[in-house]
Amino acid sequence: MKIFLDTANVTELREGVAMGLVDGCTTNPSLIAKEKRPFRPLVEEICSIVAPGDVSLEVVATDFDGMVKEGKELAQVAPNAVVKCPLTKDGLKAVKHLSSEGIRVNQTLCFSATQALLSAKAGATYISPFLGRLDDIAAVGMDLVRDICEIYRVYGFKTQVLAASIRNPLHVVDAAKAGAHVATMPFSVLEMLMKHPLTDIGLKKFLDDWNKSGAKI
Ligand code: E4P
């Protein structure tokens, strides 16, 4: 399973990429707004940090013509830019149109298996089911990821399942077990994935014993 960082923060992206653990990045208008930087230089910097990994850049238009226009512009930012379109009627039309022109699209804000089926038929490169936001309304987000993985497997769709709105390490484990191609997560969740108190306790004990012995490597 690929790991993407769900952030527009270049410090987090540089650190994740330096660890060798980041395969791509997803942004959205809220994450971009948080950075308080001019859009174009920010997304160019993100694409160059993450290259050759994919970077999702989201349109803000909500009508078909506007999404296609913005999508074509965003696709020009860098070769690893992937256009993100919302899962609406116009969004599906835009996915069909952009993908037929060879522009890769991540279809976002997916909350049902029917939406995901249509998105794959429209030719999306990625589908983004939002787990955390479903959990927030007492629906089981992971059931949606499992359903989409099964439907795509049955029909051999090439669309990759990108588990999004991940809030904790258990979401990552369950997305991996479900067979999601990608999990996108905040930097804080990536850090949680590598931590275990028994590792810290074990390391301290090894080093204490070593230091007491006076031995050297
Ligand atoms: C995915 O592409 C979205 O940017 C993101 O995962 C949304 O996460 P949130 O529900 O925590 O805002």
Side-chain angles (χ1 to χ4, degrees):
M1 186 176 69
K2 288 183 190 160
I3 291 179
F4 284 11
L5 280 184
D6 195 30
T7 183
N9 183 279
V10 294
T11 307
E12 291 180 347
L13 284 166
R14 282 188 204 288
E15 198 174 334
V17 167
M19 283 191 269
L21 295 171
V22 171
D23 303 300
C25 163
T26 49
T27 67
N28 64 40
S30 306
L31 292 170
I32 296 274
K34 216 164 93 183
E35 296 308 307
K36 300 187 182 357
R37 285 182 51 184
F39 180 73
R40 185 75 188 211
L42 173 60
V43 293
E44 280 174 2
E45 189 175 345
I46 292 173
C47 287
S48 87
I49 294 167
V50 177
D54 285 346
V55 176
S56 292
L57 304 175
E58 189 159 342
V59 300
V60 289
T62 53
D63 63 303
F64 169 74
D65 289 333
M67 281 191 236
V68 168
K69 185 172 170 288
E70 289 180 2
K72 286 181 178 176
E73 216 169 293
L74 293 173
Q76 294 300 316
V77 169
N80 56 331
V82 174
V83 176
K84 218 171 170 192
C85 290
L87 220 159
T88 58
K89 195 199 270 188
D90 279 34
L92 284 164
K93 264 175 80 181
V95 168
K96 179 84 191 169
H97 186 91
L98 291 168
S99 58
S100 72
E101 292 194 3
I103 292 173
R104 296 177 306 139
V105 185
N106 171 1
Q107 192 137 37
T108 189
L109 291 166
C110 172
F111 293 98
S112 78
T114 53
Q115 289 180 316
L117 175 61
L118 296 178
S119 185
K121 287 176 71 70
T125 298
Y126 296 103
I127 182 72
S128 291
F130 275 40
L131 311 185
R133 293 192 195 188
L134 280 169
D135 288 357
D136 290 346
I137 58 157
V140 182
M142 201 50 66
D143 284 349
L144 175 59
V145 176
R146 285 189 207 100
D147 283 349
I148 299 172
C149 287
E150 185 180 342
I151 291 167
Y152 284 8
R153 206 170 32 243
V154 168
Y155 289 101
F157 284 122
K158 295 279 177 279
T159 305
Q160 294 184 51
V161 181
L162 193 164
S165 187
I166 279 182
R167 306 275 171 77
N168 58 58
L170 204 51
H171 278 153
V172 180
V173 173
D174 286 340
K177 281 163 75 180
H181 302 84
V182 187
T184 189
M185 64 200 74
F187 188 74
S188 56
V189 173
L190 175 63
E191 285 190 309
M192 283 185 226
L193 298 186
M194 55 192 93
K195 292 227 165 91
H196 198 291
L198 289 179
T199 304
D200 298 339
I201 292 166
L203 182 59
K204 183 175 180 318
K205 168 98 174 70
F206 285 156
L207 293 181
D208 285 350
D209 290 346
W210 178 261
N211 290 334
K212 269 186 256 158
S213 78
K216 297 230 177 323
I217 289 180

